[in-house]
Amino acid sequence: MSAPHCSPPPADLPPDDVFQEVFLRLPPEPTFLLTASLVCKRWRRVIRSSAFLHRFRAFHRTPPVLGFFQNLWTLGCPPGRRIRFVPTAGPAARISPPPGFQGWVLDCCHGRVLLYSYSDEELLVWDPMTGDTQCVSAPPDVVGEDVTATLVCAAKQGDCTDCHSSPFQIIFLACKEEDQYWVSACIYSSEIDAWGSWAAIPTPSLVSLDSSTLVGNSVYWKIDFAEEDSNHILEFELGQSQRLCLIELPEGVREKYMSDIHIMPAEDGGIGFSGVNYSSIHLWSRRIGSEGVAGWVLLRIIDMDKLPLSGALAGDMFLWSSVVAFARDSDELFLQAESGIFMINISSMQLRKVLEASGSAIYPYASFFTRGCDTVGIDDRDE
């Protein structure tokens, strides 16, 4: 009779820190960590630990763009409104708005979303990854019905790779039209839980309320080209000054870019804007010359008709397009064309379509998607 078969002893598995080093080098897109967390209980426990997630964010630093939010009106009687999230980083990155809150998205910053309820005059700072929310009443004595707000991370050390618990500021902007246009702004600080004083300035037209840009210690908005002398952007200086001022754009911008530009950080680190001229994206920057005079410089031209899209050149697809958003935390730029919304990485020149035609403003959302690692119903104890 043959000897009974004996299975070899199981091989020793590497310690957790070895697995962490491997997981750190996974791409930051959500599908990779989520898939790895579902392999076994031990991998899941390693990946969902707060220490590893903090290391993962610090290692990659630049969070991926998971998608964008849109404010939509819904048909019905009476008509309503809803917030839609369109994922661009795969089906894993699905995000639902906080239940029960009736309002609009106004801004996204470092993994948090700023919403506003017009009926309740209440702002909500929402972290989709943790589910945390913080309500802030609108500033007192708001003048004007056209309002918007910008969310700014107030981390003191300048490291915004993990802003989920960092203090923040809200810059609230209100516009009104009387004999002329006026814009007022004030700042909320989460550190002192209070609003500051209002600052106000006359403007040649209304401020475009669907986007803002933070560069250095200032926030910028585009002023609508509705009036003949509207050829400016609005700057609000943070810090002690809290001053509003107008910056004139280059001559001919209205005609060259069909009265449609998008304010964004320039590639050289200053304030800039982009505009589409036929099928070319023009990227501008405002610079201070040797004599201390500020002026605008055309930094770069991207010929969209020469970029590959779905295996073929884009051609004249972007002949009548416009830049509608720029992801503040990355190099992703969004364009609205006749056939839909497209996303282009201005560093890698990768171009892809992300949504069929839509006229609603979009608000890009960038974050390390860690919420998917907390799948309900999986036991975290070691096998």
Side-chain angles (χ1 to χ4, degrees):
M1 185 175 179
S2 59
H5 175 72
C6 296
S7 301
D12 292 334
L13 293 176
D16 287 354
D17 56 355
V18 174
F19 285 120
Q20 285 197 30
E21 293 301 320
V22 175
F23 297 149
L24 277 178
R25 287 155 178 81
L26 290 174
E29 284 71 24
T31 304
F32 295 93
L33 270 189
L34 176 59
T35 302
S37 70
L38 298 176
V39 169
C40 66
K41 298 172 184 176
R42 185 182 182 190
W43 284 21
R44 173 176 160 76
R45 176 175 53 79
V46 171
I47 289 174
R48 72 177 295 182
S49 69
S50 58
F52 169 76
L53 293 176
H54 180 80
R55 286 189 64 196
F56 188 81
R57 290 188 286 263
F59 180 83
H60 290 279
R61 298 194 64 82
T62 302
V65 176
L66 301 182
F68 56 86
F69 291 95
Q70 287 186 301
N71 300 313
L72 303 177
W73 285 101
T74 58
L75 298 177
C77 186
R81 59 179 64 178
R82 70 182 180 92
I83 296 171
R84 174 172 69 174
F85 180 76
V86 179
T88 60
R94 296 195 177 276
I95 297 173
S96 298
F101 186 85
Q102 300 294 321
W104 287 136
V105 172
L106 297 182
D107 194 22
C108 300
C109 175
H110 297 159
R112 292 188 283 203
V113 183
L114 180 64
L115 304 100
Y116 181 63
S117 171
Y118 286 86
S119 58
D120 298 330
E121 294 186 344
E122 185 177 69
L123 294 145
L124 186 73
V125 178
W126 167 47
D127 187 337
M129 296 301 105
T130 65
D132 294 339
T133 58
Q134 182 170 340
C135 292
V136 178
S137 297
D141 304 323
V142 175
V143 178
E145 296 181 356
D146 294 322
V147 300
T148 189
T150 299
L151 184 64
V152 176
C153 176
K156 292 185 171 61
Q157 298 180 352
D159 181 6
C160 296
T161 59
D162 191 11
C163 288
H164 297 273
S165 59
S166 299
F168 59 85
Q169 294 177 329
I170 298 174
I171 296 87
F172 194 91
L173 207 68
C175 306
K176 69 174 182 177
E177 179 183 0
E178 294 179 341
D179 295 336
Q180 64 182 118
Y181 299 100
W182 281 88
V183 173
S184 303
C186 65
I187 300 179
Y188 170 84
S189 169
S190 67
E191 294 181 283
I192 61 174
D193 188 24
W195 289 96
S197 302
W198 287 96
I201 187 175
T203 58
S205 185
L206 289 175
V207 173
S208 179
L209 303 178
D210 58 4
S211 65
S212 62
T213 295
L214 173 70
V215 176
N217 202 39
S218 294
V219 180
Y220 301 85
W221 293 265
K222 181 184 76 171
I223 294 180
D224 291 335
F225 290 144
E227 304 296 335
E228 185 175 347
D229 58 345
S230 300
N231 192 45
H232 302 77
I233 62 175
L234 178 70
E235 178 185 13
F236 182 54
E237 297 178 358
L238 306 178
Q240 294 295 325
S241 63
Q242 298 188 12
R243 183 173 67 98
L244 285 165
C245 63
L246 297 174
I247 298 176
E248 190 170 4
L249 291 166
E251 293 184 6
V253 165
R254 295 160 56 106
E255 297 76 21
K256 192 169 188 176
Y257 303 115
M258 299 174 60
S259 298
D260 194 0
I261 64 170
H262 189 80
I263 307 300
M264 56 184 282
E267 293 183 312
D268 59 5
I271 182 61
F273 70 88
S274 59
V276 179
N277 182 260
Y278 292 97
S279 292
S280 297
I281 302 175
H282 292 191
L283 302 177
W284 289 77
S285 174
R286 188 170 185 261
R287 292 180 173 178
I288 307 297
S290 57
E291 298 181 357
V293 179
W296 292 95
V297 178
L298 178 59
L299 288 184
R300 186 180 172 194
I301 297 177
I302 301 174
D303 293 324
M304 299 292 293
D305 55 349
K306 299 178 182 178
L307 295 182
L309 178 65
S310 301
L313 295 181
D316 61 0
M317 184 177 296
F318 297 95
L319 192 59
W320 307 107
S321 62
S322 60
V323 178
V324 292
F326 181 76
R328 187 189 301 182
D329 303 318
S330 73
D331 292 328
E332 305 290 350
L333 192 124
F334 292 81
L335 294 101
Q336 173 77 64
E338 290 184 353
S339 59
I341 294 178
F342 295 79
M343 183 174 172
I344 176 175
N345 186 293
I346 59 176
S347 296
S348 66
M349 291 291 98
Q350 291 183 333
L351 173 68
R352 59 192 177 101
K353 187 175 183 178
V354 293
L355 187 65
E356 295 299 326
S358 172
S360 300
I362 70 174
Y363 301 86
Y365 177 72
S367 180
F368 293 103
F369 192 86
T370 56
R371 193 186 65 182
C373 301
D374 295 331
T375 306
V376 177
I378 298 180
D379 191 351
D380 294 322
R381 293 173 295 180
D382 291 332
E383 295 176 293

